[in-house]
């Protein structure tokens, strides 16, 4: 006779807990630590921001940096922002005059007002195509910039965006841009070349030529 053998198998199912989203600010900075190391996030030297942090005993996913989180950090020299961050908010790195390098991931969609204002040691920055909004004065007073390329999903060049970027000599503007706003390039005394697509509506003398006044 035949003996029928029945085997029972179990399949292991892994359940991944969805982490709470967290935005790093000046106010909550001191209470936040790197989830991988348990150490505080530094504010000087070469900083690699963690993908996950622990705040008030809870593990969270870092999705934003805002409200002057690193503003006026005079000894900050470079920053690597992790994938998963979608917003670099208002005045995040304002006045970090030793900052030479900022690596922005493809996850970032917004760069807020004054985010990198007066970062005078910053000579170049690669803005990924994921960015759709670069707000007023985001790069105000970045005197080390010589060339900038606007990402191809941005539609407006906002007020004072590159004001007083005195070394800026060339700018490439994509077809997505339809407006150049007030004083966008005021004080750009070295500006020699700017490529403006036909998509841009009439531009006033003030917007483009203020660097000559």
């Amino acid at each position: 006779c035949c003996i029928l053998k029945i085997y029972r198998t179990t399949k292991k199912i892994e359940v991944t807990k969805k982490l709470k989203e967290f935005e790093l600010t000046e106010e909550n900075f001191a209470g936040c630590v790197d989830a991988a190391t348990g150490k505080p996030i530094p504010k000087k030297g070469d900083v690699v921001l963690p993908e996950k942090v622990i705040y008030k005993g809870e593990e969270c996913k870092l999705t934003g940096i805002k409200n002057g989180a690193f503003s006026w950090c005079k000894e900050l020299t470079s920053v690597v922002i992790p994938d998963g961050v979608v917003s670099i908010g208002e005045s995040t790195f304002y006045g970090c005059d030793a900052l030479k390098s900022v690596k922005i991931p493809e996850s970032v969609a917004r760069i807020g007002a004054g985010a990198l204002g007066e970062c005078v040691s910053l000579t170049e920055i690669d803005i990924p195509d994921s960015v759709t909004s670069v707000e007023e004065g985001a790069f105000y007073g970045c005197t080390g910039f010589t060339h900038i390329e606007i990402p191809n999903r941005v539609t407006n060049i906002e007020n004072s965006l590159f004001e007083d970027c005195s070394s800026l000599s060339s700018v490439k503007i994509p077809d997505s841009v339809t407006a150049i706003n007030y004083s966008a390039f005021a004080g750009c005394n070295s500006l020699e070349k700017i490529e403006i697509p036909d998509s841009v509506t009439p531009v006033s003398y003030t917007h483009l030529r203020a660097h000559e006044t």
Side-chain angles (χ1 to χ4, degrees):
C1 65
C2 296
I3 300 175
L4 178 62
K5 293 183 178 181
I6 300 175
Y7 296 91
R8 183 179 178 182
T9 61
T10 57
K11 184 177 181 180
K12 186 177 180 181
I13 299 175
E14 293 186 3
V15 178
T16 303
K17 180 182 177 182
K18 185 177 181 181
L19 297 179
K20 181 180 179 180
E21 295 182 353
F22 181 82
E23 291 185 306
L24 186 64
T25 69
E26 183 180 19
E27 293 77 16
N28 64 28
F29 203 108
C32 182
V33 298
D34 185 330
T37 65
K39 296 180 179 180
I41 298 169
K43 281 193 168 187
K44 62 181 181 180
D46 300 325
V47 175
V48 178
L49 291 174
E51 292 184 10
K52 299 175 184 178
V53 300
I54 295 176
Y55 182 67
K56 293 184 176 180
E58 184 177 3
E59 187 175 16
C60 307
K61 179 182 179 181
L62 185 63
T63 57
I65 318 162
K66 65 178 185 178
N67 293 359
F70 290 91
S71 61
W72 304 108
C73 290
K74 298 295 186 179
E75 297 180 77
L76 183 67
T77 53
S78 73
V79 178
V80 176
I81 299 171
D83 190 46
V85 170
V86 297
S87 176
I88 302 170
E90 293 78 5
S91 303
T92 295
F93 299 105
Y94 197 97
C96 295
D97 49 21
L99 186 61
K100 296 180 179 180
S101 171
V102 179
K103 186 175 181 181
I104 302 174
E106 290 285 347
S107 57
V108 170
R110 170 181 172 262
I111 299 175
L116 288 146
E118 295 197 45
C119 291
V120 296
S121 297
L122 198 60
T123 57
E124 62 181 3
I125 192 163
D126 185 11
I127 308 173
D129 286 338
S130 58
V131 173
T132 58
S133 175
V134 185
E135 297 177 4
E136 181 174 342
F139 300 108
Y140 172 85
C142 289
T143 55
F145 279 165
T146 57
H147 171 76
I148 199 78
E149 188 168 334
I150 309 294
N152 59 23
R153 295 177 66 190
V154 170
T155 57
N156 290 324
I157 296 179
E158 300 292 352
N159 295 348
S160 303
L161 184 55
F162 299 106
E163 184 173 352
D164 287 344
C165 291
S166 56
S167 299
L168 187 64
S169 59
S170 67
V171 181
K172 186 175 181 180
I173 301 174
D175 292 339
S176 60
V177 171
T178 58
I180 298 174
N181 293 317
Y182 187 77
S183 294
F185 300 100
C188 294
N189 300 319
S190 301
L191 190 59
E192 298 174 352
K193 182 180 180 181
I194 183 166
E195 300 176 23
I196 304 174
D198 294 337
S199 57
V200 176
T201 52
V203 182
S204 78
Y205 184 89
T206 306
H207 296 173
L208 292 179
R209 304 295 294 277
H211 62 280
E212 294 185 359
T213 61

